[in-house]
Amino acid sequence: MSGQDRMGAEHPFGGHSPGGHGDGNPGGGGAGPAASGGGLPGHGLRVVDLGTGMAAALVSTLLADAGAVVHRVAPSGDEVFDEVYPAHRGWRSVTVPADPADLDVLLAQADVCLVGGEDHPAVTPRHDAADLADRYPRLVVAHLTGYAAGHAPGAPAVDLLVQARTGMVAEHFSDRPLYFAVPFPTYGQAMLAALGVWTALLERAGSGRGQVVGASLQQGAALFMTPFWMRAERPDAEFGKVTPKDVKHLIFQCADGGYVQFVMGVPSAVAKLYRILGIDVPVDPADRGIPRVGASPDTYFGDRPLIAAHVAKLDRAGILAAAEVEGLPAAPVLDLGEFLDDEQLAANGLLVDRGGATGPGNVIGFLGSARAPVETDGPAGTGPTGGGPPLAGVTVLDFGSYVAGPFASRLLADLGASVLKVESLGGDPNRGLQRHFLAAHVGKRALAVDVKTPEGAEVLRRLLARADVVMHNLRPKAAERMGVSPEAVRAVRPDAVTLQAFAFGPTGPRADAPGFDMVIQALLGLERRAGGPDGPPLWIRTPYLDYVSGALGAVAVLMALYGRRTAGRAGDMWVSLLNAGMFLLSDLLREADGTLRGAPPLDGALQGVHPGERLYRTADGWIAIAARTEEAALAMWRVMLPGEPPLPRAAWDGAVAARFDEVCAGRTAAALLTALAEVGVWAEECRTDGLAELERVERAGPERDPAVACLLADRADDRYGRLTGCLGPLVSFSRTETPADDLPGGPGHGAHTRQVLAELGYTDAEAEELLRAGVVR
């Protein structure tokens, strides 16, 4: 169960009970449309979008969906992205086209400006972020780049090339790279930029000053690779419990040709699965099917050959019906677009008009808000002059477990918030998967309490009374029983911001269903997309929906804190794995006649979506090539097939790719890269170790480069000693302090219980009695 989130499964704090949502204020249960107008946290914000490419467009949509007005001044040549991304016009439909002659006036009135973005030879150079920040002191400038400052200067900002240079392409298979069909660096960059923008806006509310926020494709890749790009001074067996490369998940083809996805980890999972499939093999009735460290890729999640043989005899519908009776999580592996008519998407308000077609939108849910006093000191209690990290003084209570919920508060801790992990006496089940636990929990303190006892309920009440933010990933019906529903929180702390992380959503036909990363991947067609149209479905070994849900959750909290700070409204926000999955399908649109466009399919080798933007094996390694224009394609052809009449780029097909494969196989990577560079074709060597690449950059200078701090951090961990990896803030600020050194590691179970009880007003004797009685640990 490596890294998977049992969001909505039985929570370690206790059982389930009916629960409501919101605070009785207007808001609605959808993800945005029902809470339109002045109630949205971004209402009144003005944004000027000067950016290019996909990530800039996604940041615009996130800000527009939050209520901001986005004015678009497109750079010269920007229309080329309509060809690169069929959804590009849809994304840009949320903006208001503006005349370049009005740019100075727009910037003088704006709160946020987006600059930089994706590189394309047809697009002219963009605006200078630092110059804009100097000219407009209150402006928050989001600068989107390919790499963090000091890394790969001059290298093109193209998702595939960043996947290659960072070593991300090497993170799934051990003997070859993989072209990730979902452009993870781009999505990560967009979320980090949104995170940085809302942080800078919140800080500006106290200081009155804007600044430059930096988010790169490289940092976007690191967001997803955190559990893998991590090293410990004193590693142990549990630190090694990370899904290995080449692993195959429990995805099988049924007798009727359809595929099914099983998920283990629930009580008696193996026995349940074997009963469903009629496998007459003795098993331990307590076996939950936890991954076996050291097992082969074919048996890591279970005995795949045995299971596959039995699944192949049964139809999918019968298997799924039996799984529901047994209580074993399972899902059909659907094609892209098959899930778009599911009622849960409508309940979440996830499908919106994008320029005349239907596409994903409103992925951050807003249930309503409560009145709160407008703050007159700093954005987080630090005073109008600032000082310290941007969220210094913000207290966050995190009742989440696994990854998707807690990752949100970890990102807030990176920005200076004081985050307390509140868990049951039994502890977070994800403590057994230390890499994912650390990725989601570094920088926090931890308290363990039994809130079902009267004494524990009093501890909870005191905690809530001091909280600015309260968050969890309980099932919709469980939060009220525990006492952390928005209504329960409001009864103790009326101006607290709340965040709920669900599997599917707060309402709708699937609201009470347990959710797992791989279940959502299967339903939305993400596994089919990853495996290509001609191959079996593929589950990527990083539980990426968990991390997307967490990042969107952190953005939601910052939005709500900004609304509380500036408008006197404390918002009730929510995110879900389903919303996260739909966000990763932002490049997929459905026309009025039902046809789909966007989300281009991978080739059969899983090396690219077009011969001009693809991975190629050389005689001694792999390279990535991005020939994005007709001129670049012609130059590439002349390098690969000199003397042969070139075909236009649009006519390149699998046969052309096969010819290029033959040529590349006979030449070294260095020779090809040199030849391509000489004719102006963008290409990169495929690195094989992302963490080593980051460490190489750090060692390049005599002193630690401040730019590295937003990618590589050291933390002092009680269990593992020195932790090194992508464990610090992954977004940079030109003025605001975000320390990345001398930070705490992951908290032990109940490691700070005594300290927190003292802060809550308990005497030493009272704390000792709570410990003796088993109320706390």
Side-chain angles (χ1 to χ4, degrees), residues 18 22 98 113 115 118 135 233 281 285 383 395 412 424 428 472 612 700 727 731:
C113 179
V115 299
E118 187 173 344
R135 289 164 53 198
E233 182 182 12
V281 175
T395 298
L412 300 176
S424 68
D428 186 337
H472 66 76
L727 296 169
V731 60

Side-chain angles (χ1 to χ4, degrees), residues 237-276:
E238 289 192 356
F239 191 81
K241 288 182 180 178
V242 63
T243 307
K245 295 180 182 181
D246 306 312
V247 74
K248 297 179 181 179
H249 214 284
L250 301 181
I251 303 172
F252 304 98
Q253 190 169 26
C254 305
D256 54 5
Y259 285 86
V260 64
Q261 163 82 71
F262 297 112
V263 182
M264 310 302 274
V266 300
S268 304
V270 175
K272 291 176 179 179
L273 177 61
Y274 283 18
R275 283 197 297 270
I276 291 166

Side-chain angles (χ1 to χ4, degrees), residues 659-686:
R659 293 288 309 282
F660 291 167
D661 279 333
E662 292 176 8
V663 172
C664 291
R667 303 181 66 178
T668 66
L672 276 169
L673 291 172
T674 298
L676 292 166
E678 287 175 349
V679 295
V681 177
W682 293 342
E684 288 282 0
E685 175 190 358
C686 291

Side-chain angles (χ1 to χ4, degrees), residues 411-450:
L411 294 175
L412 300 176
D414 288 345
L415 298 170
S418 175
V419 180
L420 179 65
K421 177 176 177 59
V422 186
E423 57 190 315
S424 68
L425 299 184
D428 186 337
N430 218 39
R431 285 185 176 276
L433 296 169
Q434 278 293 303
R435 298 265 199 109
H436 290 285
F437 180 84
L438 290 167
H441 289 95
V442 290
K444 303 179 187 179
R445 298 191 297 167
L447 171 144
V449 58
D450 182 359

Side-chain angles (χ1 to χ4, degrees), residues 30 86 156 181 201 242 337 356 410 442 488 517 556 595 627 678 712 728-729 760 762:
L201 286 171
V242 63
R410 174 260 156 118
V442 290
D517 172 280
T595 59
E678 287 175 349
L712 195 63
L760 296 177
Y762 287 93

Side-chain angles (χ1 to χ4, degrees), residues 147 158-170 178-185 217 221 229 615 624 685-687:
Y147 299 86
V158 177
D159 193 285
L160 169 61
L161 301 181
V162 173
Q163 287 188 38
R165 190 182 186 99
T166 62
M168 188 179 190
V169 291
L178 170 69
Y179 181 107
F180 289 95
V182 172
F184 291 117
L217 291 169
W229 293 353
L615 302 170
E685 175 190 358
C686 291
R687 269 71 166 181

Side-chain angles (χ1 to χ4, degrees), residues 204-517:
R204 190 192 69 169
S207 70
R209 302 167 61 194
Q211 60 183 309
V212 177
V213 174
S216 68
L217 291 169
Q218 181 189 31
Q219 290 160 293
L223 178 75
F224 293 95
M225 292 293 105
T226 298
F228 304 113
W229 293 353
M230 185 189 304
R231 198 186 317 280
E233 182 182 12
R234 299 193 302 266
D236 58 15
E238 289 192 356
F239 191 81
K241 288 182 180 178
V242 63
T243 307
K245 295 180 182 181
D246 306 312
V247 74
K248 297 179 181 179
H249 214 284
L250 301 181
I251 303 172
F252 304 98
Q253 190 169 26
C254 305
D256 54 5
Y259 285 86
V260 64
Q261 163 82 71
F262 297 112
V263 182
M264 310 302 274
V266 300
S268 304
V270 175
K272 291 176 179 179
L273 177 61
Y274 283 18
R275 283 197 297 270
I276 291 166
L277 301 178
I279 300 176
D280 188 17
V281 175
V283 297
D284 179 353
D287 190 347
R288 302 169 68 100
I290 303 300
R292 295 185 284 273
V293 176
S296 70
D298 234 9
T299 59
Y300 181 79
F301 285 110
D303 191 340
R304 294 190 77 259
L306 175 65
I307 298 168
H310 286 77
V311 171
K313 302 174 184 177
L314 304 171
D315 287 345
R316 185 166 70 183
I319 291 174
L320 293 172
E324 184 174 5
V325 172
E326 287 283 356
L328 183 75
V333 181
L334 302 180
D335 290 331
L336 278 176
E338 276 194 80
F339 196 75
L340 291 183
D341 292 317
D342 192 274
E343 293 180 6
Q344 189 62 48
L345 297 186
N348 289 11
L350 276 171
L351 294 179
V352 300
D353 179 78
R354 293 297 195 205
T358 300
N362 304 312
V363 293
I364 293 177
F366 179 69
L367 289 170
S369 61
R371 290 184 178 88
V374 175
E375 300 168 30
T376 56
D377 59 355
T382 58
T385 59
L391 296 189
V394 170
T395 298
V396 179
L397 297 182
D398 184 357
F399 295 88
S401 59
Y402 294 96
V403 175
F407 188 60
S409 64
R410 174 260 156 118
L411 294 175
L412 300 176
D414 288 345
L415 298 170
S418 175
V419 180
L420 179 65
K421 177 176 177 59
V422 186
E423 57 190 315
S424 68
L425 299 184
D428 186 337
N430 218 39
R431 285 185 176 276
L433 296 169
Q434 278 293 303
R435 298 265 199 109
H436 290 285
F437 180 84
L438 290 167
H441 289 95
V442 290
K444 303 179 187 179
R445 298 191 297 167
L447 171 144
V449 58
D450 182 359
V451 299
K452 297 185 293 295
T453 66
E455 297 85 355
E458 172 59 19
V459 172
L460 175 62
R461 187 196 66 78
R462 296 192 194 188
L463 288 170
L464 294 175
R466 299 162 57 92
D468 296 292
V469 180
V470 179
M471 54 201 303
H472 66 76
N473 57 339
L474 294 155
R475 277 190 189 181
K477 294 181 179 179
E480 184 176 339
R481 178 174 179 176
M482 183 178 165
V484 294
S485 67
E487 298 89 344
V489 172
R490 293 266 182 268
V492 181
R493 180 68 186 260
D495 63 344
V497 164
T498 67
L499 173 69
Q500 300 173 88
F502 302 117
F504 290 96
T507 61
R510 298 177 183 266
D512 290 324
F516 295 77
D517 172 280

